[in-house]
Structures are given as C-alpha cells and as structure tokens.
Amino acid sequence: MRRYTTLLLTAFLLLAIVIAGSAYLADSGHIDRRTRVQELTVLTTLPAEEADILSQAYEDSSGVHVTFVPLSSAEVLARMKAQADSPKKADAAMVLADWQTLGQASRSGFLTPYVSERGDMVANSFRQDDGYWMGVWYDPIVFCVNRDYLRTLHADIPDSWQALAEQDARIGITDFMAADASSNLLYAMTAEFGEEETMAMLGKIHPHVVQYARYLSNPVRQAGMGEVDISIAVESETMRYIHDGYPLQVIYPTDGTTAWITGTGILASSGDKEKVLAQHFADWLLSDEAQIALQSHNYFFVPTNPGTMAYKTFPGKNLTLFTQVPQFSSEQKHNLLDTWAREIRFQ
C-alpha cells in the first residue's frame, strides 16, 4: 500500500509539474502577446538592408516593430492605390521613399498632411509646403577627387560644372541610363542651365570620361584607386570610401548641384492608431538616432533636420542646391536621355 501511495504521490507531483508547466507556458504566451511590440507597416523604395537597419534600431528604441515592404516606385504607387480603393482594413500606414514617388503619391491623393515641431525645422526645399511629405535626408551629387591628383592642381581646382567641363582630367561618372540618382542629374542640370548649355558642358566632359559606370559606387572606387582623377558621384558613396581610408576629397560645385531626397508620407487610408505610430516613426527618422544607426553601417546621408548633431557635424551641409526644380514629363525625360545618348554618349 505504501508503494502504491508513493507511486500515486509521484504521479500527482508529475501531474502538478505538467499542469504548472503548461500554465506557465500558457501564461508566458499570454504575457508575450500582451506585451508584444506594436507593429507598423511601411512601404519603401529603400534597399532592404537599409530598411532592416532602421527597423531594428527603432524597435530597440521604441518597442515598435516596423515591417518594411521594399518595392519599386511604380509598385509603391500601385500598392497605395489598391489600399485606397479597398474597403478592407488598411495594412500599410506609411511610405519611406524618394521625393519623386512621394510627389506622385501626394498628387494622387494617397497621403495625408502631417507636420510636427521637429519636421517644421526642415527647409522648404526638402518638403512639400502643405505637409503631405517630409524629407528626412538627402544625398547630393558632388565632385569626388583623388587627393594625389588634387595636389597637382595648385590653384586650378574645378569647383563648378563649367570648370569641370574645361578640366583636363580623367573623369568617372555613372551612366545616366543606369541609375535614377544619375539621370536626375541630367534633368536637374537641364532645368537649371537649359538644355543647350547642359548638353554643351556634358559634351566637353565626355572625351575625358574613362568609363560610364553601371553603379553609383564605381566612379568613387575608380577615384579612390587612382583610375580616374575626378568622379561625379553621390556623396554617400564618397563618404563611405573616405571612411574606409581611401584618399578622396569632396568638392561641392559652387554653381549648385542636385540631391536625391528620401522622405516620409503618411497614408490617408490608414487607421487612426496606425497614423499615430507612423507620425512617431516619421519624427524618429529626423533624429540623431536614425543617423547614428545608418552611419554605424556605413550609410552617410545628409540629414534635413538642422537641429541634429549629425547635421551640424556633416561636411557640406551648406552646399548650394540648384534653384530650379526639374518638372519634366516622362516623355520629356525620355527625350533628354535620348538626346544625350545619341549626341554625346555614343557619338
């Protein structure tokens, strides 16, 4: 009898352990669900790696998990349209994309205005006046110069587009037909200087071009390796190579340049709760925390918020930007590229 009592007691204890364990696991699951981070879905044209960096940093900071959906510009606009037309519950609440995509989204009525105290500090050139989209950082086109070559110039440093066109140097540039940031330079120069003067300058530069690269990083690498003397390049890639120890120096064109602006917009079709989450994330993207997260992974963009330390310490923050906005139709852009390719690139 004692043996059976012991067996029953053992069985009871085991049962109690199982019940307690099940209750603990169930309770743990309940607590996990109850305290699970809030979620925000964001459509983006950013590369997936950049989006992942921002998502992790924001979740660490706020407890809100950001699910980025990387898409092309056309896909982002199609997704917003589908969401706006659908009677179902909206999934995406925000878009983080280039300024051209944001502009189209605004004109199509997909966005709702939002201006915060932090966003109000951003210059008008980096946002839409009525608050439908807000630039969070930008990436200007600069002259990336090999330092060894720079020492040979003495006082004849090319610091303008016209001076670069007259410079006897080996030049690197990304093909205008290979990347949006590069083709945007053609459109911006045309808007600023006129088509005739722009084509004349590019025509003078063409004989000195060593290679029309396919990627934005290649002209910077060429300058860093001494394969070219000067590259027309995005500043973010130039700063990344400088950070890695390449002998490069940035020169900002005194007659202005263009920049690829990345910004945020809040979807009009999103719910009230999601809008609030999106607003908080939009403000965070204007903070030093966001810039630190990006720079720690070698992404160097110029923040639009002048109140951040990142802005105050970033070189070239007071660079001159073109005053004319390139407002060309798709057909006009196609014609500009065709003219450049026919009369200069493949001449």
Side-chain angles (χ1 to χ4, degrees):
M1 182 71 181
R2 187 169 185 174
R3 185 180 57 168
Y4 291 115
T5 303
T6 303
L7 289 174
L8 288 171
L9 181 59
T10 302
F12 176 80
L13 290 173
L14 288 172
L15 181 61
I17 291 171
V18 170
I19 293 173
S22 299
Y24 173 78
L25 290 174
D27 190 50
S28 295
H30 174 68
I31 292 173
D32 184 60
R33 286 191 296 273
R34 188 178 68 238
T35 60
R36 185 180 180 183
V37 294
Q38 299 181 83
E39 295 186 3
L40 171 68
T41 300
V42 179
L43 309 177
T44 187
T45 56
L46 290 182
E49 184 178 351
E50 288 180 37
D52 289 343
I53 292 167
L54 293 169
S55 177
Q56 186 60 59
Y58 188 60
E59 185 168 340
D60 291 344
S61 172
S62 68
V64 177
H65 177 70
V66 179
T67 299
F68 278 104
V69 184
L71 300 167
S72 68
S73 175
E75 289 169 338
V76 166
L77 292 168
R79 179 76 172 264
M80 286 192 283
K81 184 180 187 308
Q83 183 166 306
D85 294 341
S86 174
K88 298 180 181 179
K89 184 179 182 297
D91 53 356
M94 183 177 170
V95 58
L96 176 63
D98 61 272
W99 62 280
Q100 294 178 340
T101 301
L102 291 168
Q104 292 181 52
S106 174
R107 291 190 292 273
S108 299
F110 299 149
L111 304 179
T112 187
Y114 171 68
V115 178
S116 66
E117 182 178 356
R118 186 172 289 176
D120 195 46
M121 300 175 69
V122 175
N124 291 334
S125 54
F126 298 121
R127 59 173 169 153
Q128 196 163 356
D129 291 339
D130 46 16
Y132 281 90
W133 66 265
M134 180 75 61
V136 290
W137 60 72
Y138 60 99
D139 196 6
I141 297 289
V142 300
F143 299 160
C144 168
V145 187
N146 180 279
R147 286 183 184 171
D148 293 334
Y149 172 73
L150 195 61
R151 293 189 189 98
T152 70
L153 295 181
H154 305 296
D156 299 324
I157 299 175
D159 60 354
S160 70
W161 292 101
Q162 189 60 55
L164 182 64
E166 303 293 339
Q167 191 75 16
D168 184 16
R170 297 172 301 164
I171 295 175
I173 186 173
T174 301
D175 195 320
F176 290 146
M177 295 183 289
D180 289 338
S182 188
S183 61
N184 185 59
L185 173 62
L186 174 62
Y187 310 143
M189 290 181 69
T190 302
E192 187 75 11
F193 303 123
E195 182 176 347
E196 183 177 350
E197 185 176 348
T198 297
M199 293 300 173
M201 285 191 287
L202 295 175
K204 289 181 179 180
I205 289 171
H206 173 70
H208 301 284
V209 174
V210 173
Q211 177 189 7
Y212 286 98
R214 293 175 58 86
Y215 300 98
L216 294 172
S217 61
N218 279 355
V220 182
R221 180 197 60 78
Q222 290 176 315
M225 298 294 292
E227 297 170 3
V228 300
D229 303 315
I230 304 172
S231 284
I232 300 169
V234 292
E235 184 175 33
S236 61
E237 286 294 335
T238 305
M239 295 303 296
R240 181 165 70 88
Y241 274 80
I242 290 174
H243 184 265
D244 288 341
Y246 285 79
L248 298 169
Q249 183 165 324
V250 175
I251 294 178
Y252 300 96
T254 57
D255 49 354
T257 189
T258 186
W260 193 252
I261 305 169
T262 297
T264 59
I266 297 175
L267 273 62
S269 58
S270 58
D272 292 341
K273 178 182 176 182
E274 288 73 22
K275 281 186 174 71
V276 172
L277 291 175
Q279 290 168 2
H280 291 165
F281 185 48
D283 282 348
W284 181 84
L285 288 169
L286 287 166
S287 72
D288 276 312
E289 280 188 74
Q291 288 300 315
I292 290 170
L294 289 168
Q295 290 181 17
S296 66
H297 290 81
N298 277 3
Y299 290 101
F300 299 95
F301 303 115
V302 186
T304 59
N305 181 5
T308 60
M309 287 301 298
Y311 177 87
K312 294 172 183 176
T313 59
F314 210 93
K317 58 183 176 292
N318 295 319
L319 82 168
T320 301
L321 292 171
F322 290 148
T323 58
Q324 301 301 313
V325 179
Q327 296 178 327
F328 298 113
S329 65
S330 297
E331 182 180 0
Q332 289 173 320
K333 291 178 180 179
H334 177 272
N335 290 339
L336 284 172
L337 282 172
D338 183 67
T339 299
W340 172 77
R342 186 180 64 255
E343 297 183 3
I344 297 173
R345 172 74 165 87
F346 299 110
Q347 183 70 320

